[in-house]
Each structure stands twice: as structure tokens, then as C-alpha cells.
Amino acid sequence: MPTSEAGSWHMLHPAMIVLGLMRELGRLVFVLILGTFYSTNRGAGFAQTLTLLFFFLMVPFTFAMLRYLSYRYRLIEGQIEIKEGILVRRSRQIPVSKIQNMNQSQSLLARMMGVVQLEVETAGGMEAEARFGALSRLRAAEIRSFVQDHKPEMQDSSPQTEGESLSEQILFKMTWLDIVLAGATTSQMGLIMAFLYVLYQNFEPQILSVLPQTLNRIFIYVQELDAHSLWGALTVLVLGFASLFLISWLISIFTAVLRYFGFTLMEKAGQLRIRSGLFTVIEFHVLRSKIQALEGHTTFFRRFFGFYEIRTQTAATSADARQQTGQTVLAPLGRKDHIESVLRYVWPHADWSAVAWSAVHPWARGRQFRILFWIGFSVLGLSSFWFGFSVGQRLLYWALLGLLWAGLSYLIASLTYRQIAYGIHEGFVFIRNGFLSLHFFVIPIAKIQTAELRQTFFQRRKGVASLAIDVAGSGRHLAEIPHIPVAHAFSLFNRVVHPYRTDVLVVNEAVGANGLDQAEQCTGRPHGTTARAD
Amino acid sequence: MTRETFPQIRRLEYEGKSLGEIPPEPNRAYYELDPNVRLIWVLGRLFSLVWTFFGLVVLYMVIRMSAPDWEPVAFYGGWALLTPSFVSVFWPLISYRYWGVAIRASDLVVRWGVLWKRVMCIPFARIQHVDTQAGPLERAFGVANLAVFTAGSRLGVVSIPGLPDDLAVQLRDFLSQVGQKHANL
């Protein structure tokens, strides 16, 4: 094991300057492009533009240099101590016992320079507590072994270095086809729209000068369309959307390949290890006992293929530095049996297929129907004014439309109602929810932090309420059991927040009714989980 | 484990439909807020209403001078904005009654909401830290706000406004203490 003199201060690898400069440039690239355009538009010569560029580069370079020079760290007495800062000197001590995650990553540039990036995370806070921008492999191994020596449960948990054989059991591995499908079924449409908008806002004159012929042709085509021709307008609209969709689709596939290339989920000694990425290969691990909740999701589009995405929530921020949500993707895209095997590994007792599902109050179906019907009917009903119907025709149109739309709304509402369900089994709460998409949550009762009962004005008239439960960390969606009878909701509420109390308060219910007998089993400490949030 | 080995589950009879009316425990009601808080809330809202009013008056004058055609729109629009604000000044008189706090054997239960009702439960074991805060107006009336924090992501904090300040301090100390005691249950 590499060792150095204990307690001495170390600097980062000099490659940090290059990596830091690239990162700063990445942030400033937009300003750089704008500046270049501005100066060339103002008639600045090549030499002037170059001078501008030089000064422009000097600023981030100086920052990267100063940051490198000011950064020191040492490993001493069970803690990592870091000093950094150019104007404001910061000193930070991170006790090893508080460390939740260590993530090692290597961007393409870092790989070329033979350095690694290491992030150290504790619970709380939105970003990593310590970020070593560039370390030689030797120094990274030194930090990892220091942490392992002082934190036994992280023993043998360091991400594997290249060349070591994988002795872990592989739980899930993405094939090329999976990756392409994962990209193809995610739409980055919003991103494209925003990008096009920004592009147009900033470079309108350039765009118009570069693409006059093409744009002209499109304008002429649009003008030639009969202004009152519905089909012509529709064709243009559909074609426009289709081309945007195609571009966004290709970009989604490209992003998925970048992110999920070689995605492998492995397990070893109570830990989940994930490795993925094309250029920047990220390896991280999640302690199984620290998992607070599992969240599965599938979109309307993916459901046809039977694909699901599964995420975990931990108390720290996401182990994967690219995620902003505090959740870690365990399987970006898997079929049902994959997902079940991951679930079985994480919590062997959480058996999805053995859950006795309870439906929510049928009022949920009527509510969904009313919302769908009235929104759709008013939008479609107003369209009758466009067609220029006579009064009789309009009434007939409304009647037919109402009948048809009511049928369709009822069908959608019934399908939605059927997929909303919850169950309590072996100390876990299972929730299925969603409208066209499907969300599912598996939450160990022992990890529940708080619970909230909610009742809207309409729910009160029907005597139903919703139960929201919350675990540590920062998830994207709140787990909620909607529309259950208020007395039962109150009983369930008391039950889930007190897994270790036996004298739980129930309302109007014989013990054993409506899944409470299942909850009964969670009075013992559930398997594989601990009461603490960490 | 068989059913018989479980201690008695406590039962509560409640036949109503409203969430807010379920008592936290059999034969116990929620503790209500300090009545002074109504006045504080009304004054606070009145204060912000005055600012809104002045803002709208300035806006109205500007529109009247720069675009006289729009004057009636600005006039009626301003009143349309102000009327709900006037009504909302007195909303605390209603909403006050719906606030309630209860300390049970191992958790803190808070309820609030007039049209949208909420009941939230924070088990003592989950408390991370507890704060009390009081603004100048609140200090003048001797009330304080209590905020209880957990590690939760979406419902991580609950604040209870308008407790008598000595009670808020007692509750804060009590909750921090039981939070410590229950922490590793």
C-alpha cells in the first residue's frame, strides 16, 4: 500500500491546471463565441480578435493556476483536512466517520494525463464536501486506503482500478441495444426548443445571412399554402414537429451513449457498484444499508416496450455526480424481471409479486374522469367555432363529441384508477401511481422520516384523504397514496411513522382490516434495514 | 408471532369526513395557538396590503399619464387585484382556528388548513434540530414560531407559528431532548 509521511500537506497533481482551465473554458464558451462575433461584426481585424482571445484566456488560466497553488490537503487523525481559496481562505475538516460516498471518475483528458478525480461526500449538503480535481493514482489510492482504515464498513469498497479482475456478481448490464433504446425513448425536446430559442435570440442576423435561401424557400412554401387550408397548416405543423422530434431523438440517443456506455451494476459485500460512461468513466458505490427508497418509473412511451427505470434514494446527495436530484440510477432501462432482480438484491424480503394490493377509493376514478372530460370537452368544443357551423350543426357536433370524449375519458380514467394501488408487506410500503406513465415506490417503513395527511376541499366532501410519506435525501417525487378513506388514512399514518411501537392508534378499524395486519409485521425491525436515517 | 402477543392497539371512534376533526388521541384535543397571533397576522397582512396599495396607486398614476386610453382598465384591474387582498387580510381570523399542535407519546402532530387540510407527524426519533424565531411584532405580543427539522426530503421541515414564547422555548428544549433520547431507537 502506498504511504507517505503521515500528516504532511500535499498539493494536487499539476494536471489540475489544465483540467481546471478546460472546466472554466467550458463555462465561458458561450461568452467567448459572443465576444468573437461581436468583435468581427465591429470590423475588428484578426490580430485584434486574437489579442482579445488571449486576454480572455488569461483570466481562467490565472484562476486555474491560483486554485492549484492554493489547494492543500492532508490526512491526519481520522480526518481529511483541506485548505483552499484565493481571496477567501477556507479550511475544512471532514471526519472520515461521516463519509458516505467516495466517487472516482476520469474524464477523457484526465485519462490521457493519467490522473483521476476523486469526490468525497458526507450526508447533507447539495454537493460533494471535497473534490480533488486531479490526483495521481498513487495519491488517490492513499486517500482511499486512509478512509478504509478509519471506516471499516467501507473496507474493500474502493472502485476497482483498471486491470483488476471483477469478482463481483453482475446484477445488471446494459447492452448496446438497451442504451440506444434508453436514448430513443427519452425525449430531449424541451432542451432542443430552448437551445433553438437561445440560438435565434443571439444570432438572428447571422442566421438570416447564412441561411437566406433555405429560409426563403420555407417562407415561400408557407406563403403559398392557402391561408384557410386546414390540411396545409396541419402538414406544416406536423412536419415541423417531426423534424424537431427527430433532432431531439438523435441527441437523446447520443447523450444516452455518452452517459450509459458500458453501464454495469455489480454487487459485492453489501455494496452496489455502478460503472458507466463513454468518455468520462464514472465508478461509484452505494451501501445497501444506506438505501432509503427505491423509485421506479416508466413513461407512457416506454410502457409499450415494457421498460422501466429504477433509482435509489440515499441520505447523501447522489453517488453519481451527474445527477442533480440526490437519486442514483440503478438501472436506466430494464425489463420487469431485471428490475425485480435488482429489488430482490437490495431488499430480499421486499417481494413485489407477493404484495396484496389495495385499491384506492373509487372516487379517484370519477375525479380523473371529470377532469379529463371537462378539459377535453371545452377545448374540443371551442374548436367548433373555427369550422363555422350553424347552430344546429354545432349542437350535433357537441353531442357527438361529448359522447365520444366521455367514453374515451372514462376508459382512460378506469385504466388510471386500476394502476393506482398500495400495499404493505414485510415492513415495506409499496405504492403504484401515475396517469399515463407509471411510478412505483418501495419504501422500508423503518426509513420513513415524516408523514403528512392531505385533504382538499373536494376530498373532504367524499371523506377521503391522501397520505404522503417522506424519507431522507432529496427525491424527485414524493411518495403519495392518494384518495383513501379518511379514517383508514389516519390509521395508516400512525402505523407507518411508528414501526417499533405496538400500541398504535387506529380509527374505526378492527386490526387486520385493509392491510393493517400486514403492517403488523413491521413492529419487528425489518430485515436488512436500520432505524437510523443514515 | 401471533396476533395475541401484540399489546393492545388503541382505537378511536370517528365517523366524520374531515381530516382536521380527527382528534390526535382518544379523549384529547389539539392544543391551539396563542389568540394574539390573529392580530399579528392581520396586522402583517394589512402592512403588506398598504405597500401593495401604494404600488398600485403609483402604477395607476403612471398609466393615467402615459396611456390615458388604458385608464379605466387600470382602474378596474387595480380594484380587482385589491379586493381579494382586502378579504385575505381577515383570513387569519378563520385559519387560526384550524391550527393545532399535539404532543403524543413518541411524536409531534401538527394540523392546519381551512380548505386544504394537512396533518403532519414528526416522530421524535427523526428530529434533527429545532428552532424558535420571533419577529419584532411577534416579540411585542409575546409569541414565537417553532420550526422542527428532519432529514426528510420534501416534508423535511414543519413550522408552527404563534405559540406563546415561553411555551415555544419549552417545546423547543423538550423536542431537542426527546430527539436526542429517541435518536437511535
Side-chain angles (χ1 to χ4, degrees):
Chain A
M1 190 57 63
T3 51
S4 64
E5 201 184 323
S8 57
W9 288 98
H10 298 291
M11 290 175 87
L12 296 178
H13 193 279
M16 165 80 184
I17 304 169
V18 182
L19 291 173
L21 180 67
M22 294 317 281
R23 209 173 62 183
E24 292 289 336
L25 279 183
R27 281 182 197 159
L28 294 170
V29 71
F30 201 63
V31 185
L32 182 71
I33 295 170
L34 268 185
T36 321
F37 264 109
Y38 184 75
S39 58
T40 43
N41 275 2
R42 283 295 170 98
F46 182 68
Q48 277 166 304
T49 311
L50 214 64
T51 323
L52 187 90
L53 269 179
F54 175 74
F55 280 108
F56 182 80
L57 283 176
M58 273 314 283
V59 179
F61 178 76
T62 318
F63 268 103
M65 190 73 186
L66 285 175
R67 194 160 292 140
Y68 164 70
L69 289 174
S70 68
Y71 197 104
R72 299 275 192 289
Y73 74 91
R74 67 173 172 179
L75 312 172
I76 189 166
E77 289 165 8
Q79 57 185 16
I80 300 174
E81 203 174 332
I82 293 166
K83 278 187 184 173
E84 62 177 321
I86 305 160
L87 293 175
V88 184
R89 296 286 293 166
R90 247 172 308 183
S91 169
R92 181 179 284 178
Q93 278 123 3
I94 304 167
V96 172
S97 57
K98 301 275 183 200
I99 292 175
Q100 294 262 341
N101 278 318
M102 274 197 300
N103 311 319
Q104 184 174 314
S105 64
Q106 214 180 10
S107 63
L108 189 65
L109 199 63
R111 219 182 306 170
M112 277 155 57
M113 292 189 287
V115 293
V116 294
Q117 288 135 323
L118 192 71
E119 287 188 357
V120 172
E121 271 192 72
T122 63
M126 280 313 288
E127 50 182 34
E129 268 63 25
R131 180 171 287 142
F132 300 97
L135 289 169
S136 63
R137 287 187 174 281
L138 196 75
R139 290 276 181 235
E142 193 180 289
I143 295 175
R144 284 206 310 264
S145 67
F146 176 77
V147 172
Q148 280 159 21
D149 287 348
H150 290 82
K151 194 166 167 112
E153 68 259 40
M154 290 188 88
Q155 204 63 253
D156 192 27
S157 65
S158 60
Q160 302 243 331
T161 44
E162 275 169 40
E164 279 182 59
S165 65
L166 295 177
S167 57
E168 303 98 328
Q169 184 196 341
I170 291 178
L171 291 175
F172 177 76
K173 196 169 166 59
M174 275 183 101
T175 61
W176 261 105
L177 186 67
D178 285 341
I179 296 167
V180 171
L181 279 172
T185 48
T186 340
S187 178
Q188 306 270 9
M189 193 72 147
L191 201 75
I192 303 294
M193 295 291 225
F195 178 71
L196 287 179
Y197 179 72
V198 169
L199 206 69
Y200 186 73
Q201 282 289 309
N202 289 297
F203 301 110
E204 192 187 339
Q206 280 82 4
I207 291 173
L208 290 180
S209 65
V210 172
L211 299 166
Q213 292 89 1
T214 326
L215 280 183
N216 251 341
R217 229 173 290 153
I218 295 172
F219 281 139
I220 290 167
Y221 178 73
V222 173
Q223 275 164 1
E224 276 173 358
L225 286 169
D226 182 6
H228 299 289
S229 154
L230 177 67
W231 294 115
L234 270 182
T235 317
V236 172
L237 206 69
V238 167
L239 279 179
F241 266 103
S243 54
L244 269 184
F245 187 75
L246 192 74
I247 300 168
S248 75
W249 200 54
L250 289 175
I251 290 182
S252 308
I253 294 177
F254 180 66
T255 341
V257 171
L258 277 188
R259 176 178 272 204
Y260 297 129
F261 179 79
F263 188 99
T264 321
L265 174 70
M266 297 160 280
E267 69 99 352
K268 190 180 180 185
Q271 286 187 4
L272 290 168
R273 294 184 184 190
I274 293 158
R275 177 210 291 253
S276 81
L278 182 63
F279 294 127
T280 303
V281 180
I282 291 199
E283 276 194 41
F284 51 87
H285 64 261
V286 181
L287 282 175
R288 198 168 64 163
S289 59
K290 305 277 183 194
I291 293 177
Q292 306 284 318
L294 279 185
E295 187 188 327
H297 180 244
T298 183
T299 58
F300 177 65
F301 201 48
R302 283 185 178 180
R303 287 184 82 169
F304 290 112
F305 302 97
F307 291 139
Y308 296 85
E309 181 196 59
I310 190 161
R311 295 164 177 269
T312 62
Q313 190 168 323
T314 50
T317 47
S318 173
D320 181 349
R322 295 165 304 187
Q323 301 285 330
Q324 299 294 315
T325 55
Q327 287 187 324
T328 305
V329 175
L330 279 193
L333 184 89
R335 285 175 208 287
K336 205 155 184 270
D337 50 333
H338 287 136
I339 303 300
E340 276 178 1
S341 74
V342 171
L343 179 65
R344 255 200 307 279
Y345 169 70
V346 176
W347 293 309
H349 293 86
D351 188 356
W352 185 263
S353 53
V355 181
W357 293 96
S358 310
V360 298
H361 196 282
W363 177 75
R365 182 172 42 203
R367 173 181 170 272
Q368 184 79 65
F369 168 73
R370 283 189 295 276
I371 293 174
L372 269 177
F373 178 76
W374 286 115
I375 291 179
F377 186 68
S378 19
V379 171
L380 291 171
L382 282 176
S383 70
S384 69
F385 292 98
W386 197 28
F387 296 124
F389 288 146
S390 67
V391 179
Q393 280 172 325
R394 186 166 297 146
L395 286 177
L396 188 70
Y397 173 74
W398 281 348
L400 279 176
L401 184 77
L403 218 64
L404 216 86
W405 184 246
L408 194 65
S409 302
Y410 190 78
L411 187 74
I412 299 175
S414 304
L415 288 175
T416 310
Y417 173 69
R418 274 174 57 189
Q419 74 176 23
I420 304 176
Y422 67 98
I424 293 177
H425 181 68
E426 294 274 354
F428 291 89
V429 183
F430 294 79
I431 303 173
R432 268 187 353 213
N433 206 339
F435 171 48
L436 295 172
S437 58
L438 176 68
H439 256 98
F440 59 84
F441 295 91
V442 184
I443 298 173
I445 293 182
K447 297 280 190 191
I448 292 175
Q449 292 278 328
T450 51
E452 188 180 77
L453 284 170
R454 302 163 160 197
Q455 193 179 44
T456 64
F457 175 70
F458 302 104
Q459 282 180 318
R460 189 165 81 237
R461 284 173 46 196
K462 214 65 208 169
V464 295
S466 304
L467 173 65
I469 50 185
D470 196 19
V471 293
S474 51
R476 287 201 301 187
H477 304 100
L478 187 65
E480 192 181 60
I481 305 173
H483 319 307
I484 44 178
V486 68
H488 178 54
F490 199 79
S491 305
L492 213 59
F493 168 75
N494 284 318
R495 174 63 75 187
V496 295
V497 290
H498 296 303
Y500 310 122
R501 287 186 71 89
T502 46
D503 57 336
V504 163
L505 180 69
V506 298
V507 186
N508 299 356
E509 275 180 2
V511 180
N514 292 328
L516 272 181
D517 56 338
Q518 294 279 353
E520 207 65 56
Q521 295 169 10
C522 71
T523 46
R525 183 165 290 200
H527 315 275
T529 54
T530 57
R532 290 167 59 202
D534 55 2
Chain B
M1 210 183 269
T2 56
R3 178 75 35 85
E4 287 74 36
T5 57
F6 284 109
Q8 189 62 48
I9 296 238
R10 295 173 307 144
R11 285 188 184 74
L12 180 79
E13 290 305 318
Y14 177 74
E15 298 295 341
K17 289 177 173 178
S18 174
L19 184 64
E21 285 161 25
I22 305 180
E25 277 189 297
N27 309 319
R28 265 192 64 188
Y30 284 99
Y31 180 85
E32 288 183 2
L33 304 186
D34 190 316
N36 281 334
V37 81
R38 285 176 294 186
L39 193 58
I40 296 169
W41 286 345
V42 169
L43 283 176
R45 283 179 182 225
L46 212 55
F47 191 65
S48 55
L49 181 71
V50 169
W51 281 113
T52 319
F53 185 74
F54 274 115
L56 285 174
V57 166
V58 170
L59 198 68
Y60 172 72
M61 297 305 259
V62 169
I63 291 174
R64 211 178 125 160
M65 279 188 282
S66 57
D69 292 354
W70 287 87
E71 197 247 315
V73 179
F75 184 78
Y76 292 111
W79 278 112
L81 276 176
L82 271 181
T83 317
S85 310
F86 276 130
V87 177
S88 84
V89 165
F90 300 101
W91 188 249
L93 301 180
I94 303 168
S95 69
Y96 157 79
R97 291 193 295 126
Y98 292 87
W99 273 94
V101 189
I103 299 271
R104 303 195 299 190
S106 59
D107 60 16
L108 168 78
V109 184
V110 186
R111 70 145 190 211
W112 71 98
V114 183
L115 296 175
W116 281 265
K117 297 195 178 296
R118 295 269 199 276
V119 176
M120 193 166 171
C121 171
I122 298 190
F124 294 154
R126 299 307 195 193
I127 294 173
Q128 297 278 338
H129 60 277
V130 193
D131 282 357
T132 48
Q133 318 139 7
L137 198 61
E138 282 150 338
R139 279 202 302 276
F141 281 93
V143 302
N145 305 317
L146 187 79
V148 186
F149 295 83
T150 69
S153 55
R154 293 301 184 93
L155 311 168
V157 52
V158 62
S159 9
I160 310 159
L163 292 169
D165 53 8
D166 51 340
L167 182 80
V169 170
Q170 273 174 29
L171 209 56
R172 182 193 65 198
D173 295 345
F174 171 74
L175 289 174
S176 327
Q177 248 172 37
V178 287
Q180 288 280 333
K181 208 171 82 188
H182 287 245
N184 287 325
L185 263 182

